[in-house]
């Protein structure tokens, strides 16, 4: 008996859906991997650049991002905010965010009244019993110099529940520059700083690389492409098999 292919509408529709879905998600993961690869390339390029000093005719954020910047000023200790769900080496914890009042160049270290930058000072572990309890840490007093990496933002995690409005000592899951500026009334620079210099505050500064996860995206893309291929192969193989089985049935069974 010749093998014949039996076309079935519902399996065909399901197969088309799975193939389109698999290809679309694979391409999305590929684009994410390409974006992070571009970030990695920029990071490597800008690691060799000299440290930028704030106020020395600093370029825009596109040219500043991932560069090292030195700043002079003082921390506003009364306005800390803590970013939740920031684990480090598998341990739950917070990022300590604090506004930094920038010194006006050429005024002997006096601080400016309307120039601030939001700084991620470092990481603290979360209390395993009471998640609202933040460990104590010292804040340098007076005018100091710090150095850090320029970023557009602090990244974003899945928001669980409604976002609480920023306020001093609030624990939040995500925080944007505009959101913090509106709540604090501070005039903030359009970038944030991941502090890398030591200010003897016992905070950890092992910041995750923004390009982290390139291989993960590549792997996910492969899996989605594989799903599309397997869905198509399954449709073809089962169609030929069922067609062959149907031709081997007696005429009475096929009609009944």
């Amino acid at each position: 008996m010749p093998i014949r292919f039996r076309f079935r509408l519902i399996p065909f529709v399901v197969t088309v859906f799975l193939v389109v879905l698999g290809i679309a998600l694979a391409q999305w993961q590929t684009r994410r991997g390409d974006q992070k690869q571009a970030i990695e390339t920029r990071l490597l390029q800008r690691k060799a650049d000299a440290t930028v000093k704030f106020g020395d005719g600093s370029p825009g954020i596109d040219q500043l991002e991932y560069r090292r910047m030195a700043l002079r000023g003082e921390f506003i200790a009364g306005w800390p905010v803590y970013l939740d769900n920031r684990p480090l080496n598998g341990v739950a914890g917070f990022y300590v965010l604090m506004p930094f009042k920038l010194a006006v160049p050429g005024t002997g270290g006096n601080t400016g009244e309307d120039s601030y930058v939001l700084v991620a000072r470092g990481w603290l572990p979360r209390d395993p019993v009471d998640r609202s309890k933040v460990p104590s840490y010292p804040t340098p007093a007076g005018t100091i110099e710090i150095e850090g990496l320029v970023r557009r933002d602090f990244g974003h995690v899945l928001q669980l529940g409604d976002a609480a409005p920023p306020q001093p000592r609030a624990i939040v899951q995500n925080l944007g520059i505009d959101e913090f500026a509106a709540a604090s009334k501070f005039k903030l620079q359009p970038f944030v700083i991941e502090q890398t210099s030591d200010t003897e505050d016992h905070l950890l500064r092992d910041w995750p690389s923004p390009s982290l996860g390139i291989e993960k995206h590549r792997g996910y893309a492969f899996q989605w492409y594989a799903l599309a291929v397997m869905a198509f192969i399954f449709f073809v193989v089962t169609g030929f098999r069922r067609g062959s089985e149907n031709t081997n049935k007696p005429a009475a069974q096929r009609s009944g």
Side-chain angles (χ1 to χ4, degrees), residues 43-50 68:
L43 275 170
L44 293 175
Q45 290 173 344
R46 295 181 177 181
K47 266 187 177 181
D49 293 340
R68 289 167 295 145

Side-chain angles (χ1 to χ4, degrees), residues 11-23:
F12 174 75
V13 172
V14 172
T15 300
V16 169
F17 172 77
L18 291 176
V19 169
V20 171
L21 177 66
I23 292 175

Side-chain angles (χ1 to χ4, degrees), residues 141-160:
T143 301
I144 61 170
E145 292 185 358
I146 63 170
E147 188 173 309
L149 196 70
V150 178
R151 297 289 305 274
R152 291 179 184 270
D153 52 50
F154 297 114
H156 191 277
V157 299
L158 180 64
Q159 181 70 45
L160 302 176

Side-chain angles (χ1 to χ4, degrees), residues 109-254:
N110 293 329
T111 53
E113 295 180 357
D114 295 315
S115 191
Y116 298 80
V117 64
L118 193 55
V119 176
R121 292 184 53 192
W123 181 89
L124 281 173
R126 192 172 71 189
D127 189 297
V129 178
D130 184 0
R131 66 175 299 275
S132 65
K133 185 179 179 180
V134 178
S136 60
Y137 56 92
T139 297
T143 301
I144 61 170
E145 292 185 358
I146 63 170
E147 188 173 309
L149 196 70
V150 178
R151 297 289 305 274
R152 291 179 184 270
D153 52 50
F154 297 114
H156 191 277
V157 299
L158 180 64
Q159 181 70 45
L160 302 176
D162 296 330
Q167 57 183 336
R169 298 174 180 80
I171 297 176
V172 299
Q173 296 176 73
N174 299 289
L175 184 65
I177 296 175
D178 293 340
E179 185 182 6
F180 184 84
S184 64
K185 309 303 180 185
F186 295 144
K187 184 179 180 181
L188 294 172
Q189 297 295 320
F191 57 84
V192 298
I193 296 290
E194 286 180 347
Q195 184 180 338
T196 55
S197 57
D198 183 22
T199 46
E200 300 181 355
D201 49 23
H202 313 302
L203 300 174
L204 298 182
R205 299 186 177 89
D206 186 12
W207 303 111
S209 172
S211 61
L212 189 67
I214 295 175
E215 295 305 319
K216 179 182 69 175
H217 290 297
R218 303 285 191 232
Y220 286 158
F222 176 81
Q223 291 176 13
W224 285 116
Y225 278 128
L227 171 66
V229 172
M230 291 301 297
F232 176 75
I233 292 175
F234 183 80
F235 172 73
V236 173
V237 170
T238 54
F240 274 118
R241 186 184 66 188
R242 290 177 181 271
S244 177
E245 288 175 355
N246 192 56
T247 58
N248 291 330
K249 287 182 180 181
Q253 289 183 9
R254 292 201 300 269

